[in-house]
Amino acid sequence: DIVMTQSPDSLAVSLGERATINCKSSQSILYSSTNKNYLAWYQKKPGQPPKLLVYWASTRESGVPDRFSGSGSGTEFTLTISSLQAEDVAVYYCQQYFTTPQTFGPGTKVEIK
Amino acid sequence: QVQLVESGGGLVKPGGSLRLSCAASGFTFRDYYMSWIRQAPGKGLEWISFIGTSTSIIYYADSVKGRFTISRDNGNNSLYLQMNSLTAEDTAVYYCARDKRYSAYWGQGTLVTVSS
């Protein structure tokens, strides 16, 4: 199975400041024939289902604010919240879908400083 | 709009069984893979099973293989998860989701608690 790791475990950011979450996969999740990275990012708030933010590592889901952006390739990926808003307090998960089983990272908790 | 509504969760004793259902609407159910994902209290997300558009493609995580059975009824736009031999480690919120890669569509989840 592909193991996903995330850093940091948690971070506190001031309103309006940038939040950066890192995700690493234990093997490359870049499919050479499509040149696509099989990685998604989700936002999870208590009592709610996960919300898809980004797929193919950098494609923002429809309706997701443009302050959320994904980047990276191969084994290292980043989710950036360019200007943190109060409603962004949540746990963020990366997930690979390159191979079965799809696997999630352990999550990064984002709070307001 | 796409709607997924889970039901069937509850309190069950260790070794017991439970059947979860997921009612789908707002899309052509038979055209999509469907998945079950769970989140144990205070833990992360775990993709435990998916089923193809027919029943010829089915996947189970090792943690549930041999105990859980996924199925679907395309005529009734419904997804199911039969859970047998439940243990405390199966306590979680269970979500159904559309697709098997990543999913923009999730139900609200149903809580399964395994406890004596």
Side-chain angles (χ1 to χ4, degrees):
Chain A
D1 297 3
I2 295 178
V3 177
M4 306 299 291
T5 57
Q6 290 182 231
S7 62
D9 295 335
S10 65
L11 74 161
V13 176
S14 300
L15 288 173
E17 296 300 304
R18 178 184 300 263
T20 301
I21 301 167
N22 300 302
C23 172
K24 287 187 179 181
S25 56
S26 61
Q27 66 185 72
S28 176
I29 55 175
L30 170 63
Y31 190 34
S32 55
S33 63
T34 61
N35 199 35
K36 287 187 173 184
N37 290 281
Y38 284 51
L39 184 102
W41 287 97
Y42 296 87
Q43 177 191 67
K44 178 74 170 65
K45 296 180 180 180
Q48 297 183 21
K51 177 184 178 182
L52 179 67
L53 300 175
V54 169
Y55 54 96
W56 301 125
S58 60
T59 302
R60 195 181 304 114
E61 170 68 357
S62 175
V64 172
D66 61 8
R67 64 180 181 272
F68 292 93
S69 63
S71 62
S73 184
T75 62
E76 300 194 4
F77 302 89
T78 300
L79 177 71
T80 302
I81 309 173
S82 60
S83 176
L84 192 74
Q85 304 300 302
E87 61 265 32
D88 300 335
V89 169
V91 179
Y92 292 83
Y93 294 92
C94 60
Q95 175 234 329
Q96 67 80 21
Y97 47 96
F98 185 80
T99 62
T100 297
Q102 300 87 333
T103 46
F104 292 89
T108 294
K109 187 174 185 178
V110 174
E111 300 172 306
I112 304 295
K113 186 187 294 181
Chain B
Q1 72 282 20
V2 173
Q3 262 201 313
L4 299 169
V5 179
E6 303 94 339
S7 60
L11 176 63
V12 61
K13 289 182 168 50
S17 299
L18 215 52
R19 189 193 196 207
L20 306 184
S21 300
C22 172
S25 60
F27 64 101
T28 306
F29 181 75
R30 64 177 179 270
D31 289 346
Y32 289 87
Y33 278 61
M34 295 295 296
S35 297
W36 287 100
I37 301 109
R38 69 183 180 183
Q39 184 174 35
K43 302 292 186 181
L45 297 161
E46 181 186 15
W47 211 297
I48 58 170
S49 185
F50 67 74
I51 185 168
T53 52
S54 66
T55 55
S56 60
I57 297 175
I58 287 178
Y59 158 81
Y60 298 104
D62 287 344
S63 57
V64 306
K65 197 176 296 181
R67 301 186 299 121
F68 289 14
T69 302
I70 191 173
S71 62
R72 65 189 296 161
D73 181 343
N74 288 339
N76 283 316
N77 294 337
S78 293
L79 176 71
Y80 305 101
L81 187 68
Q82 176 66 44
M83 305 187 296
N84 299 330
S85 304
L86 287 162
T87 73
E89 287 66 46
D90 297 314
T91 293
V93 175
Y94 286 73
Y95 298 98
C96 68
R98 200 184 78 173
D99 301 302
K100 75 170 180 76
R101 285 180 168 178
Y102 55 87
S103 184
Y105 301 104
W106 299 63
Q108 286 298 312
T110 188
L111 176 63
V112 172
T113 303
V114 184
S115 175
S116 54

